[in-house]
Amino acid sequence: MALALGAALIVVVGVLWPDGSGSSGTGSDGAGGESPAAAAASRGASAARGLETLPGVHLSAAYGPGDGEPETRAELTVTSDGKATGTLQLPVTGKAAMAWSGDQLYLKGDNDFWAQQNPHYGRDLTSSGHWVAPEKRDGYYMLDSFGVNAGSLKPGSLASVVREVTSDPSVVVEDAGSVQGRRATSYVAQGRTVTLADDAPHTVFAIGINPADASPIETASWRPPSSSQAIRTVHRVLSDDDRFYNPYLIAKPKPVTDKETAAVREAAAEAETAAVPPLTSAQKVAASQGPVFNTTFNSPYLCTTKPCSYSFTVKNDGDEPGEATLHVSFPGIPDRAHPLGTLAPGQSKEVSGTRPNAATGTGKTVRHTDFSWVYSSAVYGPDPKVGRRLHARALKPDDVFVATPLKPTVAKLLDDMTKDAASADTETNEKAVEALRDANSRGQLPLLMVIAASGRLENPEDLAESLSTTDKIGGVRVLQQVAHLLKTDPKARVWFDGGYKADDGETYKTDYIFISNQGGQEIKRAVQVKTIESWKKLWPRMGDAAEQLNGEHKKGKATKGKRGPEKAPPSFERVVQINLEPSVGDGYFYNKTDLERILRHKNYAQARKRLCKENGELGLDRLVIANATGTYEWTDLSKLDLPCQEADR
């Protein structure tokens, strides 16, 4: 059972050993006395010539926007004249068809795709389901999820990058092992990586670049000519901070046929013809994407009759029809439902009736509050009880500021997060609304939609506090993994960030805990997740995770939050999950063999002790590491030379 997202891209690139045993580009490569630098230039020139002759390339790619934002997978076909079509896939959920023509990006994405973009490009979802031409803007991105000028990824541009990297005097040459059954070498210069086959033809297996620093490949943004020229001519030595904050593209090219490139040109032309600009007017957005019900109270402010009359008008100001029921409540009449049927866009209906006069028998004017609200499955979802409970708590989906198609899920999330709290607990209401607003502003609502739709999050009352961590990349990765697990495993029941009450009466927490069933075998796992942005943090963070799983982390120190320190429940498999980010450098590209070799390296003998418990027993049962090349697991931890004793569990 997968514990993490699938690999963004299956490529194998260079390994830089921690003891400096990799080649530095000097000396002989054993091929006729030719130096590594000369061999690099020769092989690069040969590979570049092969690329330049192609009518187009297919690219399996992964794009990281930088600053810890989620990666996007891309499958693109790019012609020699700079036309491109393909698909973009976001982590867990969200997909878009894309086209590039005439220096313009065109997109046709689903709701989940647009709900994860910057609001300027359609978090309101008006862009869903049809071709849109996003506006360019200054900076790296035309689109948060894929800020690359796709047309500049044509064969000739890729060939230029290959030549420039392999002929650079500072090129670092690294053994890349075996790729597709052939020996391969990585060439690294100026923060760019090219992996080539050692034997002729010198196939290009992978290219890794910052598109803002790899001319003639470009970003998908608008820049003044002087700024653009500076980017093309100045290369920098990247620090770890640069790698983390800057965007990065990894692409694996394959040749395509003339027939395939002709299809790309035709599809790009069709997208260009059909595309429309995204909506930018808040007023237009508010009246779009579904029914929008507004209520007007028609009765006079002062009632002097017995009984009093009341009248309401409900109008659908949206752009789609919707079924609605008006609920009214007055003193002495807690709830009265008035079904309105289906209201077409622009249609209104009046509801009238009588109610007791609250001032009867008092001899004075009595002030009181009357309430009305409209239930519609388009707003609250199919269960009227959700709407009633939210109304009783003075909550509504509009509190989170989302488009109508997202409101039923927001209603369910609000209800799940608050329904077990006391009705007078306004603090719980406020925390739930604030948490969902923040999650929506970060484009995380589609992940929460997956979680809510599953109905198998066992501690929704903790969700508001758990979401407070998703403003950092580590918290985002945990949220993604929980959503992925609930989406792909229909039997999984998950406790996100704690709240699991065990048979011993104690409550336990880890980043997530789950129970499932596979082939009739019950699976019980407690997972501690660490997202590594710098290679030097790998062992300290793995050690922290093992300590947390065993309740041995920061013992005796005060803990933040309402729940106690981390510890896996008894009889649960203890899992350390490591997510390697691009900013770790070469480790981001290690395959399982490379990782195993590094983890067993003599330089880490002392560090490996951190994976043992205080009593010397093994501190984990499963290690999982995910990076650009795959998701790798170890249950036989003897392969890593851990100096721990096996414990009976």
Side-chain angles (χ1 to χ4, degrees):
M1 180 176 299
L3 293 175
L5 299 179
L9 173 64
I10 305 301
V11 295
V12 183
V13 298
V15 175
L16 182 60
W17 302 114
D19 60 355
S21 61
S23 169
S24 62
T26 61
S28 173
D29 69 349
E34 189 178 31
S35 71
S42 175
R43 291 174 181 176
S46 174
R49 287 193 297 272
L51 277 175
E52 287 172 330
T53 62
L54 298 176
V57 288
H58 179 85
L59 299 173
S60 294
Y63 175 78
D67 204 16
E69 293 297 316
E71 288 181 357
T72 296
R73 294 194 222 184
E75 295 291 336
L76 312 174
T77 301
V78 187
T79 67
S80 58
D81 58 347
K83 301 290 194 298
T85 58
T87 58
L88 305 179
Q89 178 72 57
L90 300 182
V92 185
T93 184
K95 189 174 183 179
M98 63 80 63
W100 187 280
S101 179
D103 204 32
Q104 173 65 53
L105 174 68
Y106 302 97
L107 293 162
K108 182 162 67 174
D110 58 21
N111 275 1
D112 287 355
F113 177 86
W114 285 111
Q116 295 177 70
Q117 305 309 314
N118 185 288
H120 181 72
Y121 295 121
R123 185 165 290 157
D124 48 71
L125 310 187
T126 55
S127 299
S128 299
H130 56 267
W131 284 105
V132 174
E135 299 176 9
K136 287 190 177 183
R137 53 187 165 124
D138 194 15
Y140 279 139
Y141 320 121
M142 176 186 289
L143 177 79
D144 287 350
S145 295
F146 197 75
V148 186
N149 178 325
S152 72
L153 297 172
K154 57 189 177 183
S157 299
L158 299 176
S160 293
V161 171
V162 170
R163 275 200 182 91
E164 189 169 350
V165 170
T166 55
S167 64
D168 192 297
S170 67
V171 66
V172 176
V173 182
E174 299 292 344
D175 180 4
S178 177
V179 182
Q180 299 175 15
R182 299 170 66 188
R183 295 297 303 174
T185 298
S186 278
Y187 304 91
V188 184
Q190 310 294 349
R192 294 160 292 165
T193 300
V194 173
T195 303
L196 307 178
D198 287 352
D199 58 330
H202 298 295
T203 305
V204 180
F205 289 130
I207 295 176
I209 55 169
N210 175 349
D213 199 21
S215 175
I217 294 171
E218 301 173 343
T219 67
S221 65
W222 173 86
R223 287 178 180 273
S226 59
S227 173
S228 177
Q229 184 63 31
I231 290 171
R232 293 182 181 195
T233 57
V234 178
H235 298 297
R236 296 163 287 106
V237 177
L238 297 182
S239 67
D240 277 354
D241 285 343
D242 287 328
R243 292 189 181 99
F244 179 66
Y245 289 108
N246 288 340
Y248 205 76
L249 176 77
I250 305 165
K252 176 182 175 182
K254 289 185 177 180
V256 296
T257 64
D258 289 328
K259 183 177 180 181
E260 289 171 302
T261 57
V264 167
R265 294 185 182 93
E266 183 179 352
E270 291 176 358
E272 183 176 3
T273 301
V276 299
L279 285 185
T280 56
S281 164
Q283 290 75 21
K284 291 180 180 179
V285 167
S288 68
Q289 308 176 76
V292 177
F293 300 105
N294 292 312
T295 304
T296 304
F297 183 52
N298 304 319
S299 304
Y301 178 75
L302 182 65
C303 171
T304 58
T305 62
K306 294 189 296 184
C308 296
S309 298
Y310 66 84
S311 173
F312 295 87
T313 298
V314 178
K315 183 181 179 183
N316 180 2
D317 288 320
D319 61 356
E320 294 182 13
E323 188 175 357
T325 298
L326 175 69
H327 289 262
V328 295
S329 57
F330 310 104
I333 305 177
D335 186 87
R336 183 178 288 176
H338 295 274
L340 303 176
T342 299
L343 298 183
Q347 184 182 3
S348 61
K349 280 191 178 181
E350 183 177 349
V351 171
S352 59
T354 61
R355 60 175 176 82
N357 190 321
T360 298
T362 65
K364 59 183 179 180
T365 300
V366 176
R367 296 179 181 275
H368 59 85
T369 302
D370 301 336
F371 294 96
S372 68
W373 65 284
V374 175
Y375 166 75
S376 173
S377 60
V379 177
Y380 288 96
D383 185 358
K385 294 179 183 178
V386 171
R388 293 193 192 101
R389 285 194 293 264
L390 292 182
H391 173 65
R393 302 189 71 96
L395 290 172
K396 55 186 182 298
D398 281 336
D399 292 335
V400 184
F401 312 128
V402 295
T404 300
L406 303 181
K407 288 179 180 178
T409 298
V410 168
K412 187 176 189 313
L413 284 165
L414 285 172
D415 186 50
D416 287 345
M417 296 164 73
T418 61
K419 65 183 178 183
D420 292 332
S423 58
D425 185 357
T426 56
E427 183 180 359
T428 294
N429 294 352
E430 291 169 358
K431 284 184 176 180
V433 170
E434 183 179 0
L436 292 181
R437 283 180 180 176
D438 289 345
N440 186 42
S441 71
R442 296 191 286 262
Q444 295 164 359
L445 201 55
L447 300 175
L448 295 175
M449 292 168 64
V450 170
I451 292 172
S454 76
R456 288 175 280 112
L457 178 66
E458 300 295 321
N459 62 324
E461 67 278 2
D462 295 329
L463 191 55
E465 185 170 339
S466 300
L467 290 176
S468 68
T469 67
T470 61
D471 60 339
K472 301 288 192 301
I473 188 62
V476 173
R477 294 294 182 255
V478 177
L479 178 62
Q480 289 173 349
Q481 288 168 213
V482 168
H484 176 73
L485 177 60
L486 288 169
K487 180 180 180 180
T488 58
D489 182 354
K491 296 180 180 179
R493 295 160 50 222
V494 178
W495 289 258
F496 175 22
D497 197 20
Y500 176 81
K501 190 168 184 178
D503 293 339
D504 62 4
E506 297 294 325
T507 299
Y508 295 85
K509 75 179 289 286
T510 63
D511 285 332
Y512 66 98
I513 294 168
F514 73 94
I515 298 175
S516 186
N517 190 289
Q518 195 172 55
Q521 180 71 34
E522 185 179 53
I523 297 171
K524 300 166 69 175
R525 292 178 184 164
V527 186
Q528 203 65 32
V529 181
K530 299 299 177 187
T531 298
I532 309 300
E533 300 162 0
S534 172
W535 188 257
K536 64 184 178 181
K537 297 289 187 181
L538 175 63
W539 281 103
R541 299 288 282 159
M542 280 202 298
D544 290 345
E547 289 177 358
Q548 289 167 331
L549 287 170
N550 294 287
E552 297 178 348
H553 189 60
K554 296 183 178 179
K555 292 175 69 174
K557 296 185 179 180
T559 57
K560 296 180 180 180
K562 66 182 180 182
R563 299 187 298 282
E566 297 93 339
K567 188 176 182 180
S571 77
F572 275 64
E573 184 180 9
R574 299 161 300 172
V575 182
V576 172
Q577 163 84 46
I578 301 298
N579 299 317
L580 297 178
E581 295 296 307
S583 54
V584 302
D586 296 299
Y588 184 60
F589 309 117
Y590 291 165
N591 60 25
K592 187 172 185 178
T593 300
D594 299 330
L595 287 167
E596 203 166 285
R597 196 177 304 166
I598 290 293
L599 294 174
R600 296 177 58 180
H601 196 277
K602 61 183 180 181
N603 287 9
Y604 297 128
Q606 187 66 27
R608 286 194 287 275
K609 295 180 180 179
R610 288 288 308 277
L611 298 183
C612 306
K613 294 172 61 175
E614 290 176 348
N615 63 6
E617 293 178 351
L618 197 60
L620 72 163
D621 305 298
R622 183 183 298 262
L623 174 65
V624 181
I625 298 181
N627 66 4
T629 70
T631 299
Y632 307 112
E633 301 189 13
W634 291 266
T635 54
D636 181 3
L637 297 170
S638 64
K639 294 182 177 180
L640 304 182
D641 289 345
L642 300 184
C644 314
Q645 307 166 16
E646 290 290 340
D648 295 329
R649 285 180 55 82

